[in-house]
Amino acid sequence: MPSLEEELFPSTPGKFKIDRAHAINRQFHRCFASTSTMFLWALFLIALTASYLSFQSFVDSGSRYFSASWGGIQWEKQVRTSAEIHRSGGLSVLVTGAAGFVGSHVSLALKKRGDGVVGIDNFNNYYDPSLKKSRKVLLASRNIFIVEGDINDQRLLAKLFDVVAFTHVMHLAAQAGVRYAMENPNSYIHSNIAGLVTLLEASKSANPQPAIVWASSSSVYGLNDKVPFSESDRTDQPASLYAATKKAGEEITHTYNHIYGLSVTGLRFFTVYGPWGRPDMAYFSFTRNILQGKPITVYRGKNHVDLARDFTYIDDIVKGCIGSLDTSGKSTGSGGKKKGPAPYRIFNLGNTSPVTVPTLVSILEKHLKVKAKKIILDMPGNGDVPFTHANISSARRELGYKPTTDLQTGLKKFVRWYLSYYGYNHGKPVN
Ligand SMILES: O=C(O)[C@H]1O[C@H](OP(=O)(O)OP(=O)(O)OC[C@H]2O[C@@H](n3ccc(=O)[nH]c3=O)[C@H](O)[C@@H]2O)[C@H](O)[C@@H](O)[C@H]1O
């Protein structure tokens, strides 16, 4: 009996010889019968999918009580493979916030030189999670596995340290953003305080203990008016909750260094920018608005003084992070007991040449070939500081840190990435 397929679509023209009316009639009944069978199957599949999705959402919503979406033999294999070291004397690094801006760049750089890298990220929606998913795909293409999880999940962290003897933790997961702290203060406590402590607890209990390199912030200098900012300058006047949580982080990491012998290096980043950056930051949101013909708000300081930042290009920051990992020194504790003093360091990672926000806008207008629609506003009391300016002599001496990318060049690279990623052709949206 010829198959339905063969009868309806004869492979050889002229093959279709049966009386057309009779054949079509028979086919119609057969089709009807098979259609109703297919309909019943479709109904069954829909019911099955719906019940699976409702169970999945039940599990997800109660993930505190159910086994999370991690664990198992396959998962452990992915973690181990990703953590493998492929160079003599290489590192095995747990990168928190690996789907983030700095985290993804550092992970790629470490993997490229043969270090083992495992990421962890909670893929939260502080900004467009699709950008984080795209970064995850990019890292996966370089065999970097990112565990979807929160640094507050002590079970997950214990499991990760159980599966891999990490030599280092590159801690970049945080709630970032100076001004957002006034909208969602708890997010800063959850990630920058509770999350940090959970991570440090897991690290000090690990055997061997990893060395910790983590992202502090230039914002800890707060209202300090001695320029350029040096690491020994006062940092007891934070101007935002964000800055206060980063300052607290420096104190908290110091106690874990003192009590448990964790090697700690804190890096005070200065307004980092570049391809795959954060959409919440001025350079990124200005670019988006300028291209979409929307206005941008340019804050200005007291007495109409332009605000300025020591904008630092991502590739320079990555070199500073890797220099810190390579010179971190070892943690001295094991199983939570300290055997001797361990290094505790703090470095500025900046560009040492502050640029005003209006100049940033002019550079963007030049690269985008579009004039910005500017709204000039006095800086609201939102935790912003008038300027930042890094003294990097300590990082230069200890880490070999030497920034080489100026804002003109860096923004040109960012704009090129932005236009390609968001599908612009000569400044006009492609789709
Ligand atoms: O160095 C850091 O440690 C911090 O750097 C970054 O903070 P900031 O230096 O504030 O960067 P960013 O928001 O780009 O504002 C830049 C300038 O544009 C001004 N600004 C901003 C927005 C706007 O709409 N208009 C405006 O004038 C604004 O007043 C400011 O003068 C990181 O976000 C933060 O997570 C932390 O890493």
Side-chain angles (χ1 to χ4, degrees):
M1 159 94 81
S3 74
L4 179 64
E5 176 75 32
E6 279 177 15
E7 288 190 349
L8 287 182
F9 306 99
S11 54
T12 316
K15 188 178 170 188
F16 193 52
K17 296 236 185 302
I18 308 165
D19 163 52
R20 284 178 62 80
H22 172 63
I24 288 169
N25 181 33
R26 201 174 68 236
Q27 286 312 57
F28 174 76
H29 283 293
R30 186 175 293 161
C31 277
F32 179 74
S34 65
T35 308
S36 52
T37 313
M38 282 194 284
F39 180 71
L40 289 173
W41 267 111
L43 268 184
F44 171 69
L45 287 174
I46 289 165
L48 191 67
T49 309
S51 53
Y52 169 76
L53 288 175
S54 56
F55 173 74
Q56 189 59 46
S57 66
F58 174 67
V59 167
D60 286 351
S61 64
S63 63
R64 280 187 299 281
Y65 311 108
F66 290 85
S67 66
S69 58
W70 52 266
I73 296 170
Q74 183 53 28
W75 177 86
E76 286 194 23
K77 187 168 180 298
Q78 283 181 292
V79 169
R80 281 201 182 87
T81 308
S82 193
E84 275 171 9
I85 298 172
H86 296 287
R87 70 183 177 99
S88 65
L91 317 179
S92 185
V93 187
L94 174 64
V95 180
T96 71
F101 172 34
V102 180
S104 54
H105 279 270
V106 171
S107 298
L108 289 168
L110 288 169
K111 196 72 173 181
K112 188 174 175 188
R113 71 173 197 173
D115 290 326
V117 180
V118 176
I120 177 172
D121 202 295
N122 65 7
F123 292 89
N124 69 34
N125 58 4
Y126 167 57
Y127 59 77
D128 178 8
S130 71
L131 185 54
K132 300 182 182 182
K133 296 289 183 196
S134 298
R135 295 185 190 124
K136 177 178 181 175
V137 169
L138 178 62
L139 269 61
S141 72
R142 305 295 196 282
N143 302 316
I144 300 168
F145 178 52
I146 301 182
V147 172
E148 192 151 352
D150 195 303
I151 53 174
N152 279 285
D153 187 339
Q154 52 190 340
R155 286 177 56 246
L156 169 56
L157 293 179
K159 184 68 185 172
L160 282 168
F161 280 108
D162 182 44
V163 170
V164 178
F166 290 109
T167 59
H168 292 76
V169 174
M170 182 77 232
H171 177 43
L172 296 165
Q175 174 56 65
V178 172
R179 295 172 296 282
Y180 180 64
M182 295 175 75
E183 290 174 48
N184 185 358
N186 290 324
S187 178
Y188 291 77
I189 306 307
H190 174 82
S191 298
N192 302 358
I193 306 291
L196 173 67
V197 170
T198 309
L199 179 70
L200 292 171
E201 280 294 314
S203 300
K204 63 99 175 165
S205 305
N207 200 356
Q209 282 182 341
I212 312 288
V213 177
W214 73 288
S216 179
S217 160
S218 72
S219 59
V220 302
Y221 290 106
L223 306 178
N224 171 47
D225 53 10
K226 174 185 161 298
V227 282
F229 301 162
S230 300
E231 290 86 352
S232 55
D233 290 347
R234 63 184 301 185
T235 54
D236 58 351
Q237 298 175 296
S240 65
L241 176 62
Y242 168 74
T245 62
K246 286 298 183 179
K247 171 66 184 171
E250 293 185 359
E251 312 299 0
I252 291 167
T253 52
H254 183 274
T255 60
Y256 277 80
N257 166 268
H258 169 68
I259 299 171
Y260 301 106
L262 275 181
S263 161
V264 172
T265 303
L267 301 176
R268 292 174 179 170
F269 291 164
F270 280 70
T271 310
V272 189
Y273 73 99
W276 295 96
R278 282 176 26 207
D280 63 311
M281 288 180 68
Y283 75 97
F284 199 115
S285 61
F286 287 176
T287 298
R288 181 181 54 231
N289 284 19
I290 290 170
L291 284 171
Q292 292 173 1
K294 292 177 187 163
I296 63 172
T297 307
V298 178
Y299 296 133
R300 64 184 174 194
K302 275 201 206 88
N303 313 319
H304 295 186
V305 171
D306 290 334
L307 302 180
R309 286 291 182 275
D310 197 0
F311 297 99
T312 312
Y313 189 63
I314 182 63
D315 289 359
D316 292 323
I317 290 291
V318 168
K319 285 180 208 151
C321 290
I322 291 186
S324 301
L325 290 164
D326 288 342
T327 60
S328 65
K330 289 199 178 311
S331 293
T332 61
S334 66
K337 291 262 174 298
K338 172 180 174 180
K339 292 199 176 69
Y344 180 83
R345 310 180 300 170
I346 288 187
F347 297 108
N348 288 335
L349 294 188
N351 195 42
T352 71
S353 48
V355 175
T356 67
V357 177
T359 303
L360 167 92
V361 174
S362 310
I363 296 172
L364 286 175
E365 289 175 317
K366 189 179 84 172
H367 292 317
L368 295 169
K369 301 182 180 64
V370 181
K371 201 90 184 95
K373 295 171 184 161
K374 286 181 275 192
I375 299 167
I376 311 291
L377 274 185
D378 288 340
M379 182 172 82
N382 59 7
D384 258 336
V385 293
F387 62 86
T388 62
H389 181 183
N391 170 355
I392 60 168
S393 47
S394 177
R396 191 180 286 129
R397 187 179 58 250
E398 304 292 329
L399 309 177
Y401 174 73
K402 203 165 85 56
T404 57
T405 305
D406 61 40
L407 191 60
Q408 284 274 5
T409 310
L411 284 178
K412 187 172 185 179
K413 291 180 179 180
F414 166 72
V415 166
R416 192 183 307 138
W417 168 82
Y418 186 98
L419 295 178
S420 65
Y421 182 79
Y422 288 101
Y424 281 83
N425 188 3
H426 301 301
K428 293 276 171 288
V430 169
N431 38 24

